[in-house]
Amino acid sequence: MKILVASHNQGKIKEFEHLFEPYGYEIVSLLDYPELEEVEETGTTFEANARLKAETIANHLGIIVIADDSGLVVDDLNGEPGVYSARYSGDPKDDHRNNQKLLSELAKLPNSERKAHFVSCIVAAYPNHESLVVEGHVHGIILSKEQGTDGFGYDPLFYYPEKKASFAELGLEEKNKVSHRVVAFKHLMKEFPKWVEGLK
């Protein structure tokens, strides 16, 4: 069975390929469909954006589409960057610039107020069927400087206390045991086989 992961982000696609590997599905991504128009992420919640991507592309291609909208929520920044995580410092998307903006926003806060959590909302969609929606969270602290070279996005700044390391220091295999996306993915796979059965 073919499943399209609605992303151009190679880091994210790699994570999904790794997660889906044991299940034997064929994974493709938006990189395989360069002719598809970008879906505008106009939602104000992670679920709204994930639904927009998954449902729009599923209806267009007639296949199962999985979209994840994820981001970093910093409690003492009123939930920023939130749904704007990827474009926090403006267009075009730039991980390094986003990290620098976050550091400057947090510069005035003591370490005790640098708590944050990653959110991943995954939506599985198929034409004319109710979408499957799940969510995963992981809690940590924002560092005062980047640590580690693996991962993408805010991984170098997100310190995960249980592993005493930033997400960028963990490596893909370790990160995939604990990340917000894997928490959401576990919820997804509890429901996914039954949901797929209902598509027939």
Side-chain angles (χ1 to χ4, degrees), residues 114-153:
R114 298 171 78 98
K115 290 186 188 128
H117 60 278
F118 270 126
V119 178
S120 170
C121 179
I122 299 176
V123 173
Y126 189 76
N128 307 315
H129 283 80
E130 186 60 41
S131 295
L132 177 58
V133 183
V134 294
E135 201 164 280
H137 294 207
V138 65
H139 295 265
I141 294 157
I142 302 300
L143 295 162
S144 52
K145 63 176 194 295
E146 294 185 19
Q147 284 179 202
T149 53
D150 273 339
F152 60 97

Side-chain angles (χ1 to χ4, degrees), residues 47 49 62 68 83 93-94 101 129-130 134 141 148 155 191:
E47 182 182 330
N49 281 333
D68 135 279
V83 292
K93 295 177 186 175
D94 186 304
K101 178 173 179 182
H129 283 80
E130 186 60 41
V134 294
I141 294 157
D155 287 354
E191 317 263 344

Side-chain angles (χ1 to χ4, degrees), residues 51 54-55 58 63-67 123-127 129-132 195:
R51 265 186 189 277
E55 292 172 359
I63 61 174
I64 293 173
V65 175
I66 292 208
V123 173
Y126 189 76
H129 283 80
E130 186 60 41
S131 295
L132 177 58
W195 181 80

